[in-house]
Each structure stands twice: as C-alpha cells, then as structure tokens.
Amino acid sequence: MDIKQLVSQMTLEEKCSLLSGADFWRTRPVERLGIPAFMVSDGPHGLRKQAEGGDHLGINDSIKAVCLPTASAAAASFDRDLCRQIGEAVGDACQHEKLAVNLGPAINIKRSPLCGRNFEYYSEDPYLAGELATAHTKGLQSRNVGVSVKHFAANSQENRRMSTSAEVDERTLREIYFPAFEKVVRDGKAWTVMCSYNRINGVYSSENPWLLKTVLRDEWGFDGYVVSDWGAVNDRVKGVSAGLDLEMPSSGGSNDRRVMEAVKAGTLDEKDVDACVENILRIHTRYLENAKPETVWDLDAQHELAGKLAAECMVLLKNEDRVLPLKETEKVAVIGKFAAVPRFQGGGSSHINCFRITSLMDELKDCSGVTYAQGYDTADEQPDETLIAEALRVAAEADKAVIVAGLPDSFESEGYDRTHLRMPLCQTELIRRVAEVNPNTIVVLYNGSPVEMPWLPLVKAVVEGYLGGQAVGTATANILYGKVNPCGRLPETLPVKLEDTPCFLSYEGEGDTGVYNEGIFVGYRYYDKKKTDVLFPFGYGLSYTKFEYSNLRLSSKEIRDTDILTVSVDVTNAGSVKGKEVVQLYVGDIESSVFRPVRELKEFGKIELEPGETKTVTFEIGKRAFAYWNTRLHDWHVETGDFRIEICSDSRTVLLSETVRVESTVQVPAHYTVNSIMADLIANPKAMEILRPIMQGGLFGSGENSGDSDAAGEAISDEMAKAMMMNMPLRSIASFSGGALTYDMIQKMVDQINNG
Ligand code: BGC
C-alpha cells in the first residue's frame, strides 16, 4: 500500500482523528478510505486483551491467557533464545486474537531495587537488558505483530511517575538508560516505541523532540511509530511536532481538535501531522498485510512452555553440603502458602488472567514422603503461631524442609514503589524457626525484586525463582529434584541492605525532581567500584555441576577502535551431571581520563555441556565494548590505552583475564581556554610545543626547589611546587610574568593550540 498516497487523500480532520485512540485499546477507522480500527494489547509476558471494560491498571478482566516468566525471571536466564521463545508465544497469541501490537517488552533499567515495577524489567545492566529485549522483539515480530518497547526513557520509579523529572546527565543517559532501547530499535527493528510518563531534564518524554526525533529516528533509524504511555500526553500539539505519533488512550477527540486548530492557525505544520499518520499507518499496514487470525494459540502447549522456561530462569544462590537436589527417597516437608498458591506475576497493566496455574504442591501432592504445611498467610504480615507450629511439626519429621517464600502482591506492584527490602515478618520468622528444627532447610523465593536475607546463614540452600509465570510450580519441582540443573544467573546485584544501594540517598528525588546523582554507577558498576559487600553479585548463580575455564585467547594484543576483537575461551563441565553455563565477558579500562566502572558486561553466552565435555565459546567485540560516551564529541569514544578482557563467573569473580591495547582512530578536538590548567596542557604534546617559549622563559622556574634556603625548602617542597604549577591556569602566567606576557598573547596561543 502506498501510505503517502493514502494520507494525501485524507482530510485534515481524518488525519487528526488517527492521532489518538478510539477507546482504550483501539485506533480509529477511516471507513471512507477502507482503513480499519487496529487493536493493541498489554503484555509482555502473556496477553492481556481486554475484550470489554478497558483500563491500564489491570483492574478489569481480560481474556484467559498464558502467563510466561516475567522479565525479572526471563532476564535471569541470560538466554537470548528463551526470550525469543517468549516473544514468539506472545506473538502467536496476538495473531490469533487479531492484535497489531503488544505493549512490551518493558526494558527500563533497575536503578533502585525499590522500583515497584522491577518485576517487569530485565536488569540493572543495559547490555543484558538490550540483548534479551531484542531477542523477545525478534521472536514476537517474527509473527508479524509489533512490539512497543517501553517506557522510553528514564522511567525508574512508580511514585510520581507521571510528573517527576528525571534529571540525568547526557553520558548517563547514553551509557545506562538508552542502550537497551537503542539495541531494540537498531537490531530488533522494533515496530513501535512507547514514551514514558516522566519528564527528562524538565521535558515530558511525550513532547521531547530530542528524544523522539534526534535520538530515536535520526541517530538510531527508528521507522515505526511512537505511542504515548496511557495518559502520558501533556501538550498534544507539542507532541505532534516532537514526534509523538499516537496518543493513547482516546482523548475523547479533544486533543485531535486542538491539533486541527493549531494547523489551521499556522502554529503547527501539517507536515508534522502527516508524518505521524504515515508512521502509524505504515506499521498497522504491516500487520494487516500479514494478519493470520487462523494462527493456532495452543494454551496447553504454552503452559508447558511456561514451565520449561521458568526452570531455566531459576538461580541457585546457595547449596551447602549439596543439600539440593532432593532425592525421591527423602522425606521432604514443603512449607509456605506460595507452595500451594504461588506468586508468579506482578500487579498492574501486565497482569495476566491465567487459564491454569500450577503450584509446587500440584506437582508434589502425589509424592510419598512429601508433607505440606502453610506456614504463613499472605494477608497478614504478623506470624501466626498456629501455622508456625504446624510447620515446625512437619519440618521436624522430615529429612529436609523446603520453605517457599517471597513477596506477596501487596509488597510490589506497578503504581507504587517499595520503601524497604524486607520480606514479611511472618515469613522471616518462619524460616528462622524451621531452620532451628531442621538443619537441612531450603528456601525458594518468589519475588519480583531483591529482598534482604537476614536468615541466609541459617539455611542450607536458596533458590531465587523470581516471578516465573503460571507454571512456576512445575519449574520449582524440576529444579528441586534435579530434573533440571539450575542455570539462571542474577541479572541484578542483591544488596545486603537498602542503605547500600547506589541511589539510596536520592531515589525518587524531592517533589517532582529526581536527580540521578549516582550517574553511570548503577547496579554492579556502583557496588564493585565502591567494593561494597553484597549478598550476591550481578551474574552470580550456582549449578549442580561445576565448570572449569581455560585457554583464554584474543585474536590480537593490539587493535584499533575500528577493529573487531575475537575472544575465545574453553569451558569444561567438570562435574557429573549435564548442565548449562553462562559465560560472561567483561571489559575494564585500565586507565582513563573519565570515571569508569571497574568492569562492564560486554558479551555473554549460554552453553550446555555433558559431563566431561569441553566447548569453545567465541565472542566478537567492537568499539562499543571499549567506549564511553564523550560529551564533547557527543559520540562514543575509546581512549587509547590498555583494557582488561575478563571472563567472569559474576561481576566480581574474575576467572581469566588478558590485556589488549586499543588505539583510538578519533582525535578529540582540543578545546582549551585561557582557564585551562597546565596539567591538562602538558598531556598534549602539540600544546606543549606552542607553550615551550613560556616554559623555557622560566616563568614557572624549573619546578624544582632551588634549595638555596632551608626556610624556603621547608615551606615549599618540590612536590608542592610541581603541584601548584600543574594546577595553574594559563591566564595566571600573565599575572606572574611581570608584564612580559599579556592576556592577549596567551589567548593567541590558546587559539593556535585549538586550531591545531
Ligand atoms: C503502563 C504501560 C501499559 C499501559 C497500558 C500504563 O499505565 O505504564 O506499561 O502498557 O498503561 O495498559
């Protein structure tokens, strides 16, 4: 279909009518031209299609569907293929249900573990989030349904999410908050992007031309449409010229009228309206031309898939005395309400109306040797002595006690943030008391974001299950009994306590202003730089087998920043059971003129190994793996120097390391002023050439204490004289030259240096 031609046939009124929804989920049709209404729906780990009674808060019912592992869990798989499968499953459901776009994946960076919506987001690490979200996107879009990657950008909190201004510097946006979006747009070719509610540096994302046009379209080549988060529009007219194509939900026509009036009054260019309409129609036509409502949406098959995938997401955090896996001959006490009624998804717009839910006890109820006690209630935080007594009784009689605990719904949800990282008292008390009567206590956690674990030393094993979707019980049973070897890795750092977290001092800001003071030091980038003790580091996870690494090789010891470096490493399964390993490659800049993290994840891969088997894993990394965002170039830049290439089992455990020297091919233009200090100039040989006459003129002396007078020697050491000289701005030379040098002469030299 020739979209431009179609748009040229529309009246202004028709065009404006397409700029916002008809209702909560549908766009308007233009019957005269045969343009139908299109429907979108929430996701992203399942389908939330509201046949009737629309709302964006998950209040009204939606059709029965399948809840796959949420992003919190999916990220822990460190498995692109798994995320692709989630995307495909949701894509099939969308095709079946005639939905053009599924509103996800949600890929905001986990700035603080307090964010109520972290269960929907992937990681504190932009590379991991970008890779997994891109896989999800490719999977979903392979079914000819669009994603809506959200929430662009810097939507790091739920409280005041619609009014707060995220005050973030350019480098931090580029290095932390943008890359996942960039990846999904550039490589995933996302059909649509959803702008965030919040403002960034004072400007609403829904009317930010730098965000929606310069960065998204001009730099990243986005060719889809931008949709507002539901109700994110502040000034629709500004939004149209800034590149916000579609407003959702319906504004009841009032904003469309405003846009029309602005065009008529000459304050808005009709071309901007045309561009929005073209973007929307281009994407919806892509869906329409490939619509396959006959697509089979096999709920049973997807339920099975949900269980299989959830097991691959679980992270074994502790396994003392190899208390896991359980043996079928052992007497096991299963304790906890979540073992019978699991928590496997979060509240709000992503809430799925599940056609079936499988709990751990559904899986184990027929196993002889397994007993069950509820242990706690989710409705009350206070310990219930009757429930605890029953739990202690079954625990004392068993070889091992498995407590299924975590966060109840009320503790984390879209719409508000947590204020602490604690689990309910009734659960922590239960764990403590059960561990007293059973030395083989195992804790399984169902939670969307990190919790403090004061009970950790008391228990033998911990499995972090995150929010694993509706078949989480099957997955848990398979992990506990070793039918699946745990292979998840933490996609976020688990801090010891809230006060240790990177933005503890400023999270959520003051009023409607939230300053991102921690800058690029988010997640492990912060903890590792500060050497702060953590509960478990980013990337951490155990297995029932063990892996050995050897033979790290680089294709070269010296490259230019335009080259690709090939990194290979051999991994061996040195244990006795089959298992999957996540191989993690980090890069660290050894010396840099800007603040940089100790190391950053730049590649990862998941491999499966039979006992005794060795595989070679090969990665290719390019400029971006070494670069930081240079705010003077407004571009990625690699400083010439040595970099560490590290193969790690988590962000702070280096297994193998090599060094590569990277030569920059980009000259950062000099930009000295008369206020530049000597230390900065000395680093530049060209500058020193121009300044040599001054230096030789002895204006600074030799930099060495002459030693003539003892008194002077005591007052001014050589180090001090040197330091003072280094910290002097050029202009001060004029003051010290006794008139030999003027300010103008210095300015001339500066110009000469700058002009090369
Ligand atoms: C959420 C989005 C969601 C939309 C529609 C908003 O409140 O932030 O993630 O897609 O509602 O339900």
Side-chain angles (χ1 to χ4, degrees):
M1 197 185 288
D2 185 341
I3 302 293
K4 268 196 189 302
Q5 216 255 328
L6 182 66
V7 174
S8 72
Q9 294 172 41
M10 291 180 175
T11 64
L12 178 61
E13 195 173 354
E14 282 169 341
K15 287 190 282 195
C16 292
S17 78
L18 288 181
L19 296 181
S20 69
D23 57 24
F24 237 85
W25 305 113
R26 270 166 282 254
T27 58
R28 285 212 185 81
V30 181
E31 273 146 24
R32 184 179 73 84
L33 296 169
I35 300 171
F38 291 90
M39 187 170 184
V40 303
S41 94
D42 265 321
H45 43 263
L47 205 62
R48 180 174 163 263
K49 181 187 177 190
Q50 290 187 317
E52 283 147 44
D55 72 279
H56 63 304
L57 303 170
I59 298 165
N60 288 306
D61 249 1
S62 48
I63 62 166
K64 289 281 182 200
V66 182
C67 178
L68 294 136
T70 66
S72 64
S77 73
F78 272 68
D79 188 343
R80 297 174 181 91
D81 192 51
L82 181 145
C83 292
R84 178 188 55 76
Q85 291 182 60
I86 294 178
E88 287 170 357
V90 179
D92 283 341
C94 289
Q95 273 293 357
H96 181 84
E97 287 297 321
K98 303 193 187 72
L99 300 163
V101 171
N102 187 257
L103 305 175
I107 63 172
N108 295 103
I109 292 300
K110 299 184 184 196
R111 180 178 173 227
S112 164
L114 293 177
C115 175
R117 244 181 140 170
N118 276 1
F119 73 89
E120 266 187 88
Y121 301 147
Y122 288 99
S123 180
E124 65 188 23
D125 181 78
Y127 181 75
L128 180 63
E131 290 295 309
L132 299 181
T134 300
H136 176 106
T137 298
K138 286 184 176 167
L140 197 140
Q141 295 190 167
S142 73
R143 301 316 202 236
N144 292 306
V145 171
V147 297
S148 196
V149 53
K150 65 192 187 182
H151 312 87
F152 190 49
N155 185 165
S156 316
Q157 64 192 63
E158 286 300 286
N159 293 342
R160 293 179 180 265
R161 66 175 175 169
M162 299 183 82
S163 55
T164 191
S165 176
E167 303 288 315
V168 202
D169 64 80
E170 181 190 342
R171 184 175 164 208
T172 301
L173 284 173
R174 294 295 189 158
E175 291 190 23
I176 304 293
Y177 296 99
F178 281 1
F181 288 97
E182 181 181 359
K183 180 85 190 174
V184 181
V185 167
R186 281 191 199 270
D187 291 2
K189 307 271 176 258
W191 288 15
T192 87
V193 168
M194 186 190 292
C195 77
S196 60
Y197 282 128
N198 53 283
R199 293 174 288 150
I200 298 178
N201 299 322
V203 185
Y204 281 103
S205 298
S206 60
E207 56 193 47
N208 187 332
W210 173 74
L211 189 71
L212 304 183
K213 279 191 169 162
T214 311
V215 174
L216 190 59
R217 289 193 190 275
D218 303 347
E219 292 181 25
W220 301 347
F222 178 63
D223 71 349
Y225 71 75
V226 180
V227 58
S228 71
D229 197 346
W230 268 231
V233 168
N234 170 54
D235 181 329
R236 186 65 185 111
V237 176
K238 270 193 189 167
V240 169
S241 62
L244 173 68
D245 302 302
L246 176 64
E247 171 182 11
M248 285 303 275
S250 165
S251 70
S254 69
N255 273 340
D256 307 343
R257 275 193 296 280
R258 253 185 225 142
V259 172
M260 205 155 66
E261 276 155 23
V263 172
K264 282 184 185 155
T267 51
L268 177 68
D269 194 334
E270 190 167 349
K271 284 203 188 90
D272 288 335
V273 173
D274 291 356
C276 292
V277 176
E278 282 168 22
N279 291 334
I280 297 167
L281 289 180
R282 192 176 335 105
I283 292 302
H284 285 165
T285 308
R286 204 181 283 173
Y287 161 74
L288 194 63
E289 288 174 350
N290 298 286
K292 284 196 189 70
E294 68 280 9
T295 301
V296 177
W297 179 20
D298 185 337
L299 298 182
D300 290 313
Q302 287 201 358
H303 180 79
E304 207 172 294
L305 178 72
K308 187 176 145 256
L309 301 186
E312 306 267 320
C313 304
M314 295 195 164
V315 189
L316 180 62
L317 294 177
K318 181 173 179 180
N319 195 16
E320 231 174 81
D321 303 334
R322 294 170 168 261
V323 70
L324 285 176
L326 304 173
K327 295 178 196 69
E328 266 154 34
T329 48
E330 286 166 343
K331 281 184 77 182
V332 178
V334 176
I335 300 164
K337 175 127 187 218
F338 284 166
V341 186
R343 177 145 187 272
F344 57 87
Q345 66 171 331
S349 60
S350 67
H351 200 269
I352 311 294
N353 184 5
C354 299
F355 89 100
R356 182 184 301 149
I357 297 164
T358 305
S359 71
L360 177 61
M361 282 316 294
D362 290 334
E363 286 290 335
L364 303 184
K365 62 180 182 301
D366 297 330
C367 298
S368 61
V370 173
T371 48
Y372 173 73
Q374 185 184 319
Y376 61 86
D377 195 9
T378 42
D380 191 357
E381 270 195 60
Q382 290 311 312
D384 177 324
E385 283 306 326
T386 316
L387 293 179
I388 291 186
E390 189 201 350
L392 295 181
R393 188 180 54 76
V394 295
E397 286 167 1
D399 299 317
K400 292 175 179 171
V402 175
I403 304 175
V404 185
L407 292 177
D409 277 316
S410 62
F411 272 58
E412 53 178 353
S413 167
E414 178 177 345
Y416 57 88
D417 299 312
R418 290 191 292 170
T419 53
H420 61 78
L421 304 182
R422 292 188 297 277
M423 287 163 61
L425 183 64
C426 56
Q427 296 190 15
T428 48
E429 184 63 9
L430 175 75
I431 295 172
R432 197 179 61 73
R433 307 251 305 262
V434 168
E436 273 172 11
V437 301
N438 191 316
N440 293 317
T441 297
I442 295 148
V443 175
V444 176
L445 293 172
Y446 294 158
N447 51 316
S449 38
V451 290
E452 289 170 4
M453 300 183 197
W455 41 263
L456 187 61
L458 309 176
V459 303
K460 284 256 171 86
V462 181
V463 176
E464 174 56 81
Y466 282 108
L467 299 184
Q470 67 181 48
V472 72
T474 312
T476 309
N478 286 339
I479 289 287
L480 290 175
Y481 281 91
K483 290 190 186 127
V484 176
N485 190 348
C487 57
R489 301 289 179 267
L490 289 176
E492 63 194 320
T493 311
L494 302 191
V496 175
K497 56 185 191 303
L498 176 63
E499 290 75 8
D500 295 339
T501 60
C503 58
F504 171 69
L505 294 177
S506 58
Y507 185 56
E508 297 200 329
E510 290 169 335
D512 277 335
T513 306
V515 184
Y516 285 39
N517 285 317
E518 71 287 357
I520 59 163
F521 294 100
V522 173
Y524 66 89
R525 287 166 171 77
Y526 173 85
Y527 299 107
D528 293 353
K529 190 91 179 182
K530 282 200 69 184
K531 297 194 170 83
T532 305
D533 282 344
V534 299
L535 219 44
F536 295 101
F538 172 87
Y540 180 85
L542 303 172
S543 164
Y544 294 152
T545 187
K546 63 173 196 275
F547 299 99
E548 282 171 3
Y549 285 71
S550 60
N551 208 8
L552 173 61
R553 294 84 91 193
L554 309 186
S555 55
S556 175
K557 292 289 279 176
E558 259 178 53
I559 59 166
R560 283 172 310 165
D561 62 4
T562 44
D563 295 338
I564 296 291
L565 181 74
T566 306
V567 181
S568 306
V569 65
D570 296 344
V571 188
T572 303
N573 181 347
S576 54
V577 285
K578 185 166 82 170
K580 287 188 181 173
E581 170 69 327
V582 176
V583 183
Q584 302 168 42
L585 185 158
Y586 294 76
V587 176
D589 193 352
I590 291 174
E591 206 187 307
S592 168
S593 68
V594 296
F595 297 123
R596 296 204 71 174
V598 180
R599 63 181 62 86
E600 297 177 274
L601 183 75
K602 295 299 173 183
E603 252 296 4
F604 64 90
K606 198 165 191 177
I607 49 163
E608 186 166 46
L609 293 168
E610 295 291 338
E613 188 183 1
T614 299
K615 275 186 186 159
T616 300
V617 177
T618 301
F619 298 120
E620 291 191 333
I621 53 174
K623 178 172 179 176
R624 274 295 276 274
F626 302 97
Y628 71 94
W629 183 263
N630 184 301
T631 47
R632 200 130 50 76
L633 292 173
H634 298 292
D635 200 357
W636 297 98
H637 181 62
V638 179
E639 267 180 358
T640 297
D642 289 347
F643 291 80
R644 275 186 305 265
I645 305 294
E646 299 173 326
I647 299 295
C648 302
S649 54
D650 58 61
S651 81
R652 34 179 74 176
T653 311
V654 181
L655 303 169
L656 295 170
S657 175
E658 276 287 344
T659 303
V660 62
R661 182 174 172 78
V662 186
E663 201 71 43
S664 173
T665 55
V666 176
Q667 196 62 49
V668 182
H671 80 307
Y672 298 105
T673 69
V674 292
N675 287 317
S676 297
I677 62 167
M678 288 311 296
D680 290 341
L681 289 150
I682 259 169
N684 180 332
K686 267 193 198 145
M688 288 321 287
E689 220 168 90
I690 291 164
L691 294 173
R692 192 171 301 133
I694 310 181
M695 307 298 289
Q696 286 169 347
L699 281 162
F700 292 116
S702 63
E704 305 272 320
N705 178 20
S706 63
D708 283 354
S709 119
D710 285 351
E714 271 166 35
I716 308 173
S717 66
D718 287 349
E719 289 71 27
M720 181 180 167
K722 229 179 237 166
M724 284 175 65
M725 182 187 101
M726 286 298 166
N727 286 308
M728 265 185 201
L730 270 180
R731 67 171 151 68
S732 67
I733 300 174
S735 329
F736 296 134
S737 73
L741 273 173
T742 63
Y743 187 94
D744 288 348
M745 288 160 84
I746 288 176
Q747 181 63 57
K748 247 197 207 135
M749 286 179 176
V750 168
D751 293 343
Q752 232 180 315
I753 297 170
N754 285 342
N755 297 332

